[in-house]
Amino acid sequence: MSVAAYCIFCCRQIGTSGPATKNPPSWNDIRKIAKVTGSLILGGFVFITYEVLSLKKLLQIDTQAIHQEKLKSHVYIRTSSLNPNEYQGITYQARKEIHRAVRKILEAEAKIFRRPFNEHFSTFDGEDHECALWLLLKRTQSEDKEVRLQAVQELAKNTHWHGNVCWYYQYGTVAQTCDQRTAIGLARSKDIDLRFFLPPPSLPKMKNDYLIEDELRLLLVSLPQTGLDPCVQYFTSLALRESSQTLAAQRGGLWCFGGNGLPYCETLGKVPSETVELFCLQALVQHSKVSSHCDKIEAQGGLQLLQRIYQLRKDSAKIQRNIIRIIGNMALDERLHSSIVRAGWVSVLAEVMKSPHVIQSSHASRALANLDRDTVQEKYPDGVYVLHPQYRSSQPIRADVLFVHGLLGAAFKTWRQQDIDQPVDKKASEVQEEYSQCWPKTWLASDCPALRIISVEYDTRLSDWKAKCPVEPHRTSIAYRSNELLEKLRAAGIGERPLVWVSHSMGGLLVKKMLVDASKNPEMDKIVNNTRGVIFYSVPHHGSQLAEYSISARYLLFPSVEVKELSKDSPALKVLNDDFLSFAKDKKFPVLSFAETLPTHIGSMLKLHVVPLESAKLGIGELIPVDVNHLNICKPKKKDAFLYQRTLKFIQDVLATDLGE
């Protein structure tokens, strides 16, 4: 506006500078007009150029601030001045009009050429790696799943800013701007840098008289107490009773003598609070298996409370494992995913995934797999663990191998490498590196990367003295466990691919029962039809001497339901074996059995041949005697040992067509 007014004024001044005349303008007049017009045009171009550059500067990130604050995880953006003098006068109005016109031109250009609004100009004028980072972050939020997954994979490799002096700023930028799906995808990426994740949100400071037990007790009391599963009721009442004893001991000096819960109280003022917390967490594990209870736990601030306990109990692997188990159960409900992410659990799980301890990392892997709905279609209920693959991978999965442990076994320790004596010429660290805590996870996964390897876990015991949930003994029967595990395995996608079963001891009886039950249920047809083979490690098809010994000492041991079912020549075992033989012969899948030939030491006094050769003989398939005891029959000494190599060959042979070998 000021430029136009100035032009009109100059023209009027030239037009009225002398008396009216009909003579044509002289060279002097033309030169004057040219000088004025030229100066106006030149000045206008200079002004417009200045304003465009000013606009560009307003829209760029202050890189100086970035360099100065690169050790902080904040994104600095240049803001408008708060000085009111800059918003007054003709200059400000002219700049505003030019800015608006430039924006319209850029937007029109983008529409005409059908391309996004010029991001390099409209966001900031940064280095190439900065542009690449922001564009990559935008792609991670794409509606196209393939584009989204590829972007997360590229982001995990973080090749766009390696060697850049602002590397810490780049990680902070991703941590603050990535969405929920991206954060979970990064956490499930192999060798991910933990700087990609924000730490858990800060929690209010604790008061001096603050007790974790109080908070856990209040959380348990707030959960539904009626219409519960008997085991949930048992664990809840146990936790509440023991926490009450703890409070009484700490506040009133009560001496407690234990019972079902606390074994003892060390002094009048000192109670093992960690043990009480463990009881409460075990009760919460049971509650977290009920979907409606998970909602209550989240609504009562349970995720934040568990985060506090996790941070306070860094020295207790058992407490941390139970907490992550609860998170994994809650992650089965997709409605709670946002709450779990906001509570800071993604960064915690990503860190635990790097743990050298297979139990810890596998619990975290299960929780993250249940959170990852982009690449994982299955859901993993409590007690079902994926040993491979635990990270996102481009390797297609073509078949499943399922491991089922036996009496007093577990999902991980049953399948460890056989304990070996340390050689004199080797350091302890070298032996530890070579030792496998779980050979299916390390050896089998490396030899057959196209397999999904799953291990299941369930509670077993020798005696009712050690009953974890004694209210319903029938729950520990093979028939009950078969139905329970089949439902969990269906949720985990077992049966959707070719399948090989691997079992030890009583786990083999459970596998037989599951296959027989599945053959009678049309909904389980996929599990039956996709079974390619079964491996049995010292399975007592016709009973075990351990059961005979326990029954003989029944007045001392009170043998559990599991042990009673293993009695020699048990009618139930005979029926199960006949049913399985008929089923296996009809389906014609291969069976491989290993049998122990050495006795097993039970305590310091007893030496027992747990599963004799005649009991390990199924009646079909190949039977291979091995010079090991019952505990080591499923624990190869090393990777090139016969036990592992024969197992590997069987799996590769029965899955040769499916694996493309």
Side-chain angles (χ1 to χ4, degrees):
M1 290 173 66
S2 58
V3 175
Y6 182 63
C7 290
I8 293 170
F9 174 76
C10 291
C11 289
R12 283 182 177 177
Q13 197 173 33
I14 293 169
T16 57
S17 59
T21 176
K22 294 182 180 179
N23 295 330
S26 64
W27 268 118
N28 289 334
D29 293 334
I30 293 172
R31 204 160 22 172
K32 285 182 180 179
I33 294 171
K35 284 182 179 180
V36 173
T37 306
S39 63
L40 287 174
I41 293 172
L42 181 60
F45 274 117
V46 171
F47 182 80
I48 291 172
T49 303
Y50 168 78
E51 292 303 321
V52 171
L53 292 175
S54 298
L55 172 63
K56 204 172 181 181
K57 189 174 181 181
L58 282 171
L59 294 174
Q60 77 178 60
I61 292 177
D62 188 349
T63 54
Q64 185 177 2
I66 294 174
H67 284 289
Q68 290 174 351
E69 306 292 337
K70 62 184 179 182
L71 296 181
K72 297 182 180 179
S73 57
H74 301 283
V75 178
Y76 287 85
I77 300 177
R78 185 181 179 90
T79 58
S80 301
S81 172
L82 298 178
N83 184 2
N85 294 329
E86 294 189 14
Y87 297 90
Q88 299 173 2
I90 295 174
T91 304
Y92 170 73
Q93 294 296 331
R95 292 175 66 181
K96 186 176 179 181
E97 293 297 327
I98 293 174
H99 291 178
R100 186 178 300 169
V102 172
R103 286 178 186 275
K104 287 183 178 179
I105 292 171
L106 291 173
E107 290 174 0
E109 179 195 23
K111 289 179 181 178
I112 291 171
F113 292 99
R114 295 183 180 179
R115 63 187 182 191
F117 184 41
N118 194 327
E119 298 179 22
H120 185 80
F121 179 82
S122 63
T123 51
F124 61 92
D125 182 20
E127 299 294 332
D128 290 343
H129 61 266
E130 292 175 326
C131 294
L133 172 60
W134 285 102
L135 293 175
L136 197 55
L137 281 170
K138 186 172 182 179
R139 284 172 53 205
T140 61
Q141 301 177 19
S142 170
E143 292 300 321
D144 188 324
K145 183 177 178 180
E146 293 301 322
V147 172
R148 192 165 65 240
L149 296 180
Q150 181 63 31
V152 173
Q153 186 178 351
E154 291 178 20
L155 193 59
K157 295 176 181 176
N158 57 72
T159 55
H160 295 87
W161 59 81
H162 275 180
N164 172 34
V165 293
C166 292
W167 54 268
Y168 201 91
Y169 156 73
Q170 305 285 4
Y171 286 113
T173 299
V174 175
Q176 293 182 87
T177 56
C178 70
D179 62 3
Q180 174 180 308
R181 287 184 306 195
T182 304
I184 294 169
L186 289 172
R188 294 197 70 238
S189 300
K190 193 172 179 62
D191 299 324
I192 192 65
D193 196 308
L194 295 178
R195 288 169 295 186
F196 273 121
F197 309 100
L198 291 175
S202 300
L203 299 172
K205 290 185 178 180
M206 296 184 298
K207 298 178 181 178
N208 292 333
D209 58 346
Y210 177 88
L211 291 174
I212 291 291
E213 300 98 299
D214 287 350
E215 294 296 323
L216 282 172
R217 190 171 185 274
L218 290 174
L219 179 57
L220 282 175
V221 170
S222 71
L223 298 176
Q225 303 298 317
T226 57
L228 294 179
D229 178 282
C231 278
V232 178
Q233 284 183 326
Y234 170 77
F235 278 104
T236 303
S237 62
L238 175 63
L240 292 176
R241 180 171 68 249
E242 297 302 348
S243 62
S244 298
Q245 289 186 17
T246 300
L247 293 175
Q250 290 177 336
R251 294 171 181 173
L254 173 69
W255 182 275
C256 57
F257 294 96
N260 289 332
L262 290 172
Y264 59 86
C265 295
E266 294 179 2
T267 67
L268 290 178
K270 183 181 179 182
V271 180
S273 58
E274 184 177 329
T275 306
V276 179
E277 290 170 21
L278 196 55
F279 278 126
C280 291
L281 289 173
Q282 287 173 344
L284 279 176
V285 166
Q286 301 302 319
H287 280 281
S288 67
K289 297 177 184 179
V290 184
S291 179
S292 59
H293 292 205
C294 291
D295 293 335
K296 295 285 186 183
I297 293 173
E298 188 272 334
Q300 296 296 326
L303 290 169
Q304 289 74 22
L305 175 60
L306 293 174
Q307 186 71 255
R308 186 187 294 281
I309 299 172
Y310 187 91
Q311 301 301 332
L312 288 174
R313 294 299 185 187
K314 290 283 190 181
D315 57 338
S316 175
K318 188 175 287 188
I319 282 182
Q320 291 194 330
R321 189 161 61 244
N322 274 280
I323 290 175
I324 294 177
R325 187 177 172 187
I326 294 169
I327 300 300
N329 290 344
M330 294 181 70
L332 290 168
D333 189 342
E334 293 184 37
R335 295 173 300 129
L336 299 178
H337 285 189
S338 296
S339 299
I340 293 172
V341 173
R342 284 197 302 271
W345 283 106
V346 173
S347 61
V348 173
L349 295 174
E351 182 179 6
V352 180
M353 283 278 283
K354 294 177 175 289
S355 171
H357 303 290
V358 64
I359 301 179
Q360 304 293 94
S361 62
S362 295
H363 275 278
S365 172
R366 169 181 167 259
L368 283 172
N370 285 336
L371 286 171
D372 187 4
R373 296 298 89 195
D374 249 1
T375 61
V376 182
Q377 304 304 317
E378 304 86 3
K379 291 186 177 181
Y380 298 100
D382 190 64
V384 180
Y385 301 97
V386 181
L387 301 180
H388 174 81
Q390 293 190 337
Y391 297 96
R392 283 187 177 184
S393 171
S394 57
Q395 169 71 55
I397 301 301
R398 305 191 184 280
D400 293 334
V401 176
L402 179 65
F403 287 81
V404 184
H405 68 78
L407 197 64
L408 299 182
F412 311 104
K413 72 176 185 179
T414 292
W415 311 107
R416 70 184 185 272
Q417 181 181 353
Q418 189 178 140
D419 298 330
I420 52 177
D421 296 329
Q422 179 181 334
V424 179
D425 58 339
K426 280 196 174 184
K427 297 180 181 179
S429 58
E430 293 178 359
V431 175
Q432 188 66 26
E433 285 180 5
E434 295 175 1
Y435 182 80
S436 175
Q437 299 177 50
C438 183
W439 59 262
K441 182 179 184 295
T442 52
W443 300 347
L444 185 58
S446 64
D447 288 330
C448 301
L451 294 178
R452 181 177 64 151
I453 304 171
I454 291 179
S455 184
V456 298
E457 184 162 287
Y458 55 96
D459 295 327
T460 63
R461 57 191 187 277
L462 286 173
S463 165
D464 281 338
W465 277 111
K466 292 188 176 182
K468 290 189 176 181
C469 180
V471 290
E472 287 191 16
H474 78 274
R475 287 174 165 240
T476 60
S477 68
I478 292 176
Y480 182 89
R481 291 199 189 282
S482 170
N483 291 326
E484 185 181 45
L485 269 179
L486 276 174
E487 289 302 321
K488 289 183 176 183
L489 294 176
R490 279 185 67 195
I494 292 295
E496 298 298 325
R497 305 182 186 91
L499 173 64
V500 175
W501 304 75
V502 183
S503 59
H504 173 239
S505 189
M506 192 189 81
L509 302 180
L510 186 53
V511 168
K512 288 162 63 177
K513 181 63 176 172
M514 283 192 285
L515 284 171
V516 170
D517 288 347
S519 68
K520 300 174 183 178
N521 186 348
E523 295 181 358
M524 303 285 184
D525 278 347
K526 288 184 178 180
I527 291 179
V528 173
N529 295 331
N530 276 323
T531 293
R532 297 289 188 268
V534 183
I535 298 177
F536 294 116
Y537 289 107
S538 281
V539 173
H541 300 292
H542 308 289
S544 168
Q545 290 188 11
L546 177 64
E548 294 301 312
Y549 174 81
S550 297
I551 290 174
S552 300
R554 61 170 56 89
Y555 296 107
L556 175 65
L557 294 177
F558 293 99
S560 64
V561 173
E562 295 102 320
V563 171
K564 291 175 184 176
E565 288 187 322
L566 297 180
S567 300
K568 190 175 181 181
D569 298 323
S570 162
L573 283 185
K574 188 176 186 311
V575 171
L576 174 59
N577 198 57
D578 291 342
D579 289 346
F580 180 77
L581 285 176
S582 175
F583 161 75
K585 289 175 182 177
D586 179 57
K587 294 300 178 181
K588 298 179 181 178
F589 53 73
V591 174
L592 174 64
S593 300
F594 293 97
E596 69 203 60
T597 60
L598 300 180
T600 304
H601 289 275
I602 310 294
S604 57
M605 302 287 293
L606 184 64
K607 203 175 183 181
L608 191 67
H609 204 150
V610 179
V611 180
L613 188 63
E614 58 271 17
S615 183
K617 188 175 182 179
L618 176 62
I620 58 171
E622 184 181 5
L623 176 65
I624 303 177
V626 184
D627 291 334
V628 291
N629 61 29
H630 186 71
L631 296 179
N632 290 332
I633 190 68
C634 56
K635 299 176 180 63
K637 281 188 176 182
K638 48 188 178 179
K639 191 174 181 180
D640 59 359
F642 171 77
L643 261 175
Y644 173 71
Q645 289 299 322
R646 186 66 186 86
T647 299
L648 175 63
K649 184 178 186 305
F650 178 86
I651 293 173
Q652 289 175 333
D653 287 347
V654 299
L655 294 175
T657 303
D658 305 295
L659 297 178
E661 296 178 359

